[in-house]
Amino acid sequence: GAVLMSGLWKPAVEIDVLGQKLPLEGLVRDAIFLAVAAVSLAITPKATRQSNEFGWAPIAERALARVEAVLGRGPQSMAMPAWLTVATV
């Protein structure tokens, strides 16, 4: 729903965030994602996350990629911290 909303709703409003003009629909979408993630983290038993081998590294890696995209930099602009390295099988 949040992705569809951000694709269809175009209020033509931009908000300055740390010198970057970001569209309102993108900020609302990201706020919805954060709220859903927080609720999920709060209501999911820790044992369930452990049995699923939940880890923050893939999430942090995508968040970093998003920041780089917003700032107009590619992945080569910042070295990936070792703790964010995701092993592939």
Side-chain angles (χ1 to χ4, degrees):
V3 173
L4 185 59
M5 176 274 310
S6 70
L8 297 175
W9 179 51
K10 300 294 182 190
V13 175
E14 291 185 330
I15 297 174
D16 188 281
V17 178
L18 301 174
Q20 296 290 318
K21 292 194 179 286
L22 302 177
L24 179 61
E25 64 272 17
L27 292 172
V28 170
R29 177 201 58 224
D30 293 348
I32 292 169
F33 286 164
L34 290 173
V36 169
V39 168
S40 176
L41 191 58
I43 67 173
T44 304
K46 187 175 182 179
T48 301
R49 290 192 302 274
Q50 288 174 336
S51 69
N52 288 334
E53 298 181 12
F54 173 82
W56 287 104
I59 296 168
E61 185 176 19
R62 291 302 307 147
L64 182 59
R66 175 75 176 135
V67 169
E68 290 173 339
V70 167
L71 296 176
R73 301 177 183 153
Q76 69 281 0
S77 65
M78 289 192 257
M80 189 67 68
W83 64 272
L84 283 179
T85 304
V86 179
T88 56
V89 179

